[in-house]
Amino acid sequence: MIAGISIYDILTLTSILFFIGVYGFFTRENLITVLMSVELILNASAVNFVLINTYLYPDLLQGAVFSIFIIALAAAETALAIAIIINLYKLIYSVEVKDTETMKY
Amino acid sequence: MDFSYTILIPLIPLALFLILGLFSKKIPASISGWLGSLGLGTSFALSLYTAYHYFMDGKLEGVYQTFIYKQTWLVFTDKLHIDLGVMVDPISVMMMVVVTSVSFMVHLYSRGYMHGDDGYTRFFSYLALFSFSMLGLVMATNLFQMYIFWELVGASSFLLIGYYYTKPSAVAAAKKAFIVTRFADLGFLIGILLISYYTGTFDFQDLTSQEGMLIAGWGASASFMGLSVFTWGLILIYMGGVGKSAMLPFHIWLPDAMEGPTPVSALIHAATMVVAGVYLVARLFPAFYFVDGGFALQVVAYVGAISSLVAALIAITQTDIKRILAFSTMSQIGYMMLALGVSKYEGHEGLGYMASMFHLFTHAMFKALLFLGAGSVIHAVHSNYMKDMGSLRKYMPITHITFLIAALSIAGFPGFAGFFSKDEILVAAFENNKLIYYSSVLVAGLTAFYMFRLYFNIFWGEDRKYKHTPHESPLSMTIPLIFLAFMSIAGGYIPFSQFVTADLMPFEAHLNIPLAAIASSVGIIGIIIAFIFYKKPSELSKKFSNAFGVIYTFIYNKLYFDELYLFVTKKILFGIVAFSASWFDKNVVDGSMIGIGNVTVSVANKIKGMQSGKLQDYAMSFVGGIVVIAMVVFYIWIN
């Protein structure tokens, strides 16, 4: 519970954050920035977990614990994705999304 | 009495076939010939012992007993099952002797004739396979076992005709023989199925017993086109016999089958396999005789009579010595068929049946001798055609004498084996059917004529200039000739009516002097005409054939039977039926399947662009999908 700030304000903020992430994921051409967009999406949802926990069930901790899980998960996912991207770069000397379209049909 | 040892008679050739066939590369030619001959010699000795044993002690109260040793093999119902086993009765014992003796002689002969051939061991393994199949056929206890061996015989005949498989004509002849007889066997199979469906049994004993379903129950059976179903069944079974025995209209394979090595022609296409049809009718004789008042037997008689006449006419005009013998075989088998056809059942009335079996026996001997003699001649002059032969009596005395004996025997010259058996046939025909009698007397004259035309052309006539002076064949080939020549005389003095009769009871048969005199004088007239025409080189025969003109050409071309078959198969079957069937198959059956495939491919080509490979497109569709689903869920939730 944060004085002077209603839950709607923060939900609006996280929604904006989430859709910025979605927009970035759809439109970025560099794999690294696509990955960053994914991070934004994850962070928006992590904030939402904490928020809803704090405002609706202040005496419980599950939401906060879940957000820590999400952070750990995001770290692991980033490590894996970076590894893939580095290997991809070694293979085709590019980290552009348009250069990874060969696996079709 | 125990005859179970007779099972060894077919099993020895089977073992030989397996040994020689499996190790044909490893067994040297010098051993395989002896091994084959030894095996068949053992079988022959066993058959002789069986015959002696059976005909001496096989009677009970004056009736020959039937001994059966069998094992159930396939069970369809309690009543309908297929057995395998051996059946010992007068005709099977007689056939064992015929098959093993001729086969033994042919084995001995082949050691000389096939000497130095590449496939020597293979040849002997095929011979053993054939002997096994033929013995299995004659010893069969039921129709189905007979059918199995019937097909095996056909297969081994195919292998032997096509023995020189590098020669296209031999391959074509082997195929022709197989396909023609196979087609006839289709009738045989349908006949077996019909009979067994209505009587519930395959067993020969049940089928031929007076109380059995077939004979006692034919009156109550269903009928089709005015004839009992059983009669149809018997006629269809006889169709198989017509094919194997090269009767009209399925005779076209036999002359071509002469492409095989000559010993094969002697064994298969003269003495044993081609009489399988006669044996089949004899085996089912009571059924043929009693069902529907003997209608099926009438068919047998007329098919036999017509075939014998037509074949004798064709034989007069041919120039290939083996083909002459082939048509002669067909003619003589027609004789056996008509003898069965005019036969009745009891006692002396069953003379035709006895005469048919008697002629089968003597014919096997003298026809095998004729073929082996012809083989000996071909071996010496390396040609099948009479124009390349002449005056060979000076070079090949043994072949000459034995050939003469066989020719006299087949011409029905008094005192030789063929005279006795032919006389019985003519008596039977005279007593029962005058029309058939006259035609068979005519055939007797024709037979004497074409046989002596052959004889004079080979051994007398012009002295040719031979590239290599012909010489007498080696001992391995002349010994069988001498044995068979002996049998071609002595065979006639066997009192057959004491041994082989329709009702299994011996009777007394006497020579009918007037009829015998007519038949043999007709034969002698034939011989004299041949003597005038062919003893010395003369233009007489040419003038004579020219006088007949069109008719001569017509007969020379075998009544255009081959052309007729070619027309039916090529023009009608292949040209119209097969062509339209293949059009339907290609365009309608295949077309619908190919159409389905084409539609799938073209649709796939249109929509494969969806798989763009762009990660962000996929994500877009995913999110878009979720948005749509969410909207739908909200809409439902709100309402």
Side-chain angles (χ1 to χ4, degrees):
Chain A
M1 195 74 78
I2 301 163
I5 303 172
S6 81
I7 187 171
Y8 300 108
D9 299 337
I10 304 176
L11 278 178
T12 310
L13 176 73
T14 54
S15 296
I16 290 168
L17 200 60
F18 179 82
F19 282 107
I20 289 172
V22 170
Y23 178 77
F25 187 81
F26 287 164
T27 55
R28 290 285 96 189
E29 290 188 348
N30 190 305
L31 280 171
I32 307 281
T33 49
V34 170
L35 192 59
M36 286 161 66
S37 310
V38 173
E39 290 305 312
L40 279 184
I41 295 169
L42 285 169
N43 283 347
S45 53
V47 171
N48 262 5
F49 269 108
V50 177
L51 177 73
I52 297 206
N53 184 222
T54 316
Y55 276 78
L56 299 185
Y57 306 101
D59 48 341
L60 295 178
L61 267 178
Q62 276 97 327
V65 172
F66 240 105
S67 67
I68 291 169
F69 263 116
I70 290 173
I71 290 164
L73 211 71
E77 178 248 316
T78 309
L80 202 62
I82 290 290
I84 291 172
I85 291 168
I86 289 170
N87 274 310
L88 198 66
Y89 182 78
K90 281 183 179 169
L91 213 61
I92 60 174
Y93 304 107
S94 162
V95 287
E96 298 293 300
V97 174
K98 66 173 168 30
D99 294 329
T100 62
E101 289 172 3
T102 48
M103 297 254 310
K104 57 184 175 185
Y105 304 147
Chain B
M1 259 169 299
D2 185 27
F3 285 101
S4 51
Y5 60 84
T6 49
I7 188 75
L8 282 176
I9 297 173
L11 286 186
I12 291 171
L14 176 63
L16 274 177
F17 163 64
L18 292 177
I19 294 169
L20 294 179
L22 288 175
F23 306 110
S24 63
K25 291 274 184 310
K26 293 195 187 115
I27 299 179
S30 52
I31 294 176
S32 57
W34 277 115
L35 200 63
S37 310
L38 194 71
L40 260 294
T42 318
S43 274
F44 178 43
L46 263 177
S47 316
L48 281 182
Y49 175 69
T50 311
Y52 176 77
H53 189 178
Y54 183 77
F55 288 122
M56 287 299 129
D57 314 322
K59 272 182 286 196
L60 190 70
E61 291 166 1
V63 180
Y64 282 110
Q65 300 296 299
T66 304
F67 300 90
I68 291 179
Y69 305 94
K70 65 185 179 187
Q71 196 77 43
T72 304
W73 179 44
L74 285 178
V75 181
F76 294 120
T77 64
D78 287 342
K79 270 175 73 195
L80 194 63
H81 47 79
I82 299 176
D83 301 333
L84 286 180
V86 294
M87 180 166 178
V88 179
D89 76 340
I91 52 173
S92 74
V93 172
M94 183 208 77
M95 284 299 286
M96 279 179 221
V97 175
V98 171
V99 173
T100 52
S101 61
V102 176
S103 181
F104 179 44
M105 289 305 132
V106 165
H107 271 79
L108 287 180
Y109 181 91
S110 304
R111 286 184 38 252
Y113 188 84
M114 303 302 289
H115 186 75
D117 197 275
D118 281 341
Y120 193 81
T121 307
R122 182 167 59 95
F123 181 77
F124 277 93
S125 75
Y126 288 170
L127 278 188
L129 174 65
F130 173 77
S131 307
F132 159 68
S133 328
M134 191 66 207
L135 286 165
L137 192 158
V138 301
M139 296 165 92
T141 60
N142 58 64
L143 262 179
F144 212 91
Q145 188 189 349
M146 194 174 201
Y147 184 69
I148 294 169
F149 283 102
W150 189 273
E151 293 302 341
L152 260 177
V153 164
S156 42
S157 159
F158 170 82
L159 290 173
L160 283 165
I161 297 170
Y163 174 74
Y164 295 123
Y165 57 80
T166 48
K167 218 163 84 178
S169 60
V171 174
K175 268 195 295 194
K176 187 170 174 183
F178 195 70
I179 291 169
V180 172
T181 54
R182 228 8 269 181
F183 177 71
D185 291 347
L186 181 66
F188 191 9
L189 182 61
I190 296 172
I192 292 175
L193 295 178
L194 261 183
I195 297 266
S196 59
Y197 179 76
Y198 283 101
T199 62
T201 178
F202 291 122
D203 211 81
F204 282 132
Q205 267 202 318
D206 293 346
L207 289 175
T208 54
S209 85
Q210 300 285 337
E211 294 82 35
M213 257 302 280
L214 185 58
I215 293 173
W218 70 265
S221 67
S223 67
F224 176 68
M225 281 168 55
L227 290 172
S228 156
V229 172
F230 290 163
T231 307
W232 282 109
L234 289 173
I235 291 175
L236 283 167
I237 287 179
Y238 179 57
M239 183 176 154
V242 167
K244 269 279 181 288
S245 290
M247 296 283 97
L248 233 56
F250 296 129
H251 66 283
I252 52 164
W253 64 271
L254 187 60
D256 290 26
M258 296 301 134
E259 288 291 342
T262 310
V264 169
S265 311
L267 175 61
I268 302 186
H269 308 117
T272 55
M273 186 187 84
V274 285
V275 297
V278 180
Y279 181 74
L280 175 66
V281 177
R283 180 50 86 206
L284 289 171
F285 184 75
F288 273 91
Y289 181 67
F290 286 109
V291 173
D292 237 345
F295 182 86
L297 205 57
Q298 292 284 314
V299 175
V300 174
Y302 283 104
V303 168
I306 295 169
S307 302
S308 77
L309 185 60
V310 168
L313 281 173
I314 297 173
I316 289 175
T317 59
Q318 299 300 303
T319 55
D320 178 330
I321 62 172
K322 282 180 78 181
R323 277 178 192 245
I324 295 175
L325 292 177
F327 280 108
S328 156
T329 304
M330 179 182 160
S331 166
Q332 297 299 309
I333 291 167
Y335 249 73
M336 298 170 206
M337 288 287 189
L338 75 86
L340 279 175
V342 298
S343 179
K344 291 195 165 45
Y345 188 66
E346 279 98 8
H348 193 272
E349 298 278 277
L351 184 66
Y353 180 91
M354 179 286 249
S356 172
M357 291 297 110
F358 192 11
H359 198 58
L360 193 162
F361 182 80
T362 56
H363 172 259
M365 298 303 157
F366 59 67
K367 188 49 69 63
L369 173 54
L370 283 170
F371 267 106
L372 294 184
S376 176
V377 169
I378 292 168
H379 195 67
V381 301
H382 303 288
S383 167
N384 276 9
Y385 291 97
M386 287 198 301
K387 62 177 163 50
D388 302 326
M389 302 164 187
S391 285
L392 283 173
R393 69 183 187 286
K394 296 173 199 158
Y395 307 105
M396 316 179 72
I398 299 174
T399 308
H400 169 225
I401 296 294
T402 51
F403 200 92
L404 177 62
I405 290 171
L408 286 170
S409 189
I410 192 174
F413 198 81
F416 290 84
F419 167 74
F420 296 100
S421 54
K422 208 176 262 188
D423 175 63
E424 305 288 4
I425 289 179
L426 293 173
V427 172
F430 182 77
E431 281 171 2
N432 294 299
N433 192 328
K434 288 285 188 300
L435 185 66
I436 288 182
Y437 170 72
Y438 294 129
S439 112
S440 11
V441 171
L442 179 60
V443 171
L446 292 173
T447 307
F449 174 71
Y450 68 68
M451 235 43 237
F452 277 85
R453 168 174 178 259
L454 183 64
Y455 166 74
F456 285 123
N457 264 315
I458 297 176
F459 294 104
W460 298 78
E462 223 176 309
D463 197 353
R464 312 271 165 190
K465 296 275 172 287
Y466 294 104
K467 246 186 239 163
H468 313 281
T469 314
H471 55 87
E472 184 57 272
S473 303
L475 212 58
S476 57
M477 287 164 73
T478 48
I479 287 175
L481 293 181
I482 293 166
F483 172 82
L484 288 169
F486 170 72
M487 284 309 293
S488 301
I489 300 170
Y493 296 95
I494 299 171
F496 244 68
S497 59
Q498 294 297 322
F499 300 140
V500 179
T501 56
D503 55 358
L504 302 176
M505 280 183 273
F507 65 87
E508 290 294 324
H510 303 285
L511 204 58
N512 189 324
I513 304 292
L515 289 181
I518 294 172
S520 43
S521 49
V522 169
I524 290 168
I525 291 170
I527 296 174
I528 291 170
I529 297 175
F531 178 80
I532 297 168
F533 276 18
Y534 302 107
K535 166 74 178 20
K536 293 218 174 74
S538 76
E539 291 298 303
L540 211 56
S541 61
K542 195 154 275 175
K543 272 183 208 152
F544 207 68
S545 57
N546 285 341
F548 279 97
V550 182
I551 300 175
Y552 179 82
T553 323
F554 185 61
I555 294 175
Y556 178 76
N557 288 309
K558 302 165 213 156
L559 313 186
Y560 294 103
F561 257 102
D562 279 315
E563 284 73 10
L564 183 71
Y565 271 92
L566 278 182
F567 175 75
V568 169
T569 51
K570 283 246 165 72
K571 287 269 153 42
I572 296 178
L573 271 178
F574 294 164
I576 298 170
V577 179
F579 181 78
S580 49
S582 84
W583 181 88
F584 182 82
D585 186 54
K586 269 185 213 152
N587 291 288
V588 179
V589 179
D590 286 5
S592 58
M593 288 301 130
I594 292 170
I596 290 171
N598 283 342
V599 166
T600 313
V601 169
S602 62
V603 168
N605 270 330
K606 294 223 167 67
I607 62 171
K608 73 179 176 189
M610 282 168 68
Q611 297 276 337
S612 62
K614 290 181 185 133
L615 181 66
Q616 287 158 331
D617 284 2
Y618 297 159
M620 195 87 95
S621 352
F622 168 67
V623 172
I626 286 191
V627 169
V628 169
I629 290 171
M631 275 157 61
V632 170
V633 169
F634 271 124
Y635 180 76
I636 294 167
W637 187 45
I638 288 165
N639 287 295

